[in-house]
Amino acid sequence: MGQWTATVLVTWFILDRLGVSVSEVRSLEARWWSPDLVGLGGASLLLVACYALSGALWVGMTRELGGGSLGVGAGVGVYLIANLGRYVPGKVWQILGLAYLAGRRGVPSSVATSAAVLGQALSLAGAALVGSFALFSLDGAERRLAPWVLGIVVAGIVLTLSRGFMQRALGLWTRVLKASEVPRVPGVTFGLRWSLAYALNWLGYGLAFVLFVAAFGVSAPAGAVASAFVAAYVLGYLALFAPAGIGVREGFLVAFLTGSLGGGAVAVAALSRLWLTAVEVVAALAFGGRELKRNARTGARA
């Protein structure tokens, strides 16, 4: 209950500071309720591809950390089904679900979860780099802070790419899991290679969101829209009390897009949450439906 209360309060605070009122939402143009279905379909297909790529990246990292020969198709299904755990308060269910489902496929839990944690760190580093550019679209003190934030993000990425840092992080993580063996980070290029891969993944997510906004007939700078989406995602993820960043992400998205979209930023934020969740569930069932049936059959025999 406390988590939901904190989520509501933070979201209300952000929207209140922006001066967003209920009357402004009610006066939105009709186009916000009748998108171009072809454009929306294209954005959704690209988003599904990005979700699948996120799963494939986890599979590749799992293999490189010594997780065996998990198939890409099965691995993507495992990842996307486990990823739905983000919507449950607590922030740990995604990792626990991944450890369980990957373990049923013969992947050691320490390797499966280490790949998830390292992948999340490298993914957030790339997302923070892309998202920091959203600050340049703001006015006042926030814009003056943009170069400093960008510099801090770059410094953090350099630290994240350090093989020694990653190895110590894996050691700490496996001690938490009480695992007998610590996965080894293979080679000095590991962090750079995977961070570039995740950066491309985020560019895809950003482009999918740009296409989503365009489906409502809105003309806005693509770079600003994409970076705003990524920045809001990172800030929502860091709000540990909000399941899947619900509310907090939308509040920051309104803050970043109001300058470009005016009152329409509220519609974009609300509709995008419905869109992202619906597509994520469909993608999880499409790629992970067989995995769910497999586990159900195995459980029934047990």
Side-chain angles (χ1 to χ4, degrees), residues 180-272:
S180 58
E181 186 175 350
V182 180
R184 302 294 300 176
V185 176
V188 295
T189 65
F190 178 87
L192 180 61
R193 285 187 288 106
W194 286 106
S195 63
L196 290 175
Y198 277 108
L200 289 174
N201 195 195
W202 277 110
L203 287 176
Y205 279 121
L207 178 57
F209 184 70
V210 169
L211 295 177
F212 171 79
V213 173
F216 294 91
V218 178
S219 178
V225 171
S227 62
F229 170 75
V230 177
Y233 179 93
V234 173
L235 293 168
Y237 185 89
L238 295 177
L240 301 180
F241 52 83
I246 292 175
V248 178
R249 184 197 301 176
E250 286 69 45
F252 280 112
L253 194 56
V254 172
F256 290 129
L257 292 179
T258 295
S260 301
L261 303 180
V266 178
V268 166
L271 294 172
S272 66

Side-chain angles (χ1 to χ4, degrees), residues 16 27 81 123 168 171 175 179 225 271:
D16 182 66
S27 64
I81 290 295
S123 177
R168 285 191 291 274
R175 284 197 295 274
V225 171
L271 294 172

Side-chain angles (χ1 to χ4, degrees), residues 95-118:
I95 300 297
L96 293 177
L98 199 57
Y100 173 77
L101 292 174
R104 300 293 292 269
R105 285 284 184 174
V107 180
S109 61
S110 60
V111 174
T113 56
S114 293
V117 171
L118 273 184

Side-chain angles (χ1 to χ4, degrees), residues 1-86:
M1 182 63 182
Q3 291 177 317
W4 288 107
T5 301
T7 300
V8 171
L9 289 176
V10 171
T11 305
W12 172 83
F13 175 78
I14 295 171
L15 296 179
D16 182 66
R17 288 293 302 272
L18 293 170
V20 175
S21 65
V22 175
S23 60
E24 287 179 308
V25 177
R26 289 176 176 172
S27 64
L28 290 173
E29 299 176 39
R31 65 179 175 182
W32 292 110
W33 317 114
S34 56
D36 172 43
L37 296 181
V38 174
L40 185 60
S44 300
L45 288 175
L46 179 55
L47 184 60
V48 168
C50 291
Y51 282 136
L53 178 56
S54 295
L57 292 176
W58 171 77
V59 173
M61 190 176 291
T62 298
R63 289 178 176 179
E64 196 164 349
L65 291 175
S69 56
L70 179 64
V72 175
V76 169
V78 164
Y79 180 86
L80 293 181
I81 290 295
N83 214 36
L84 296 180
R86 295 184 300 110

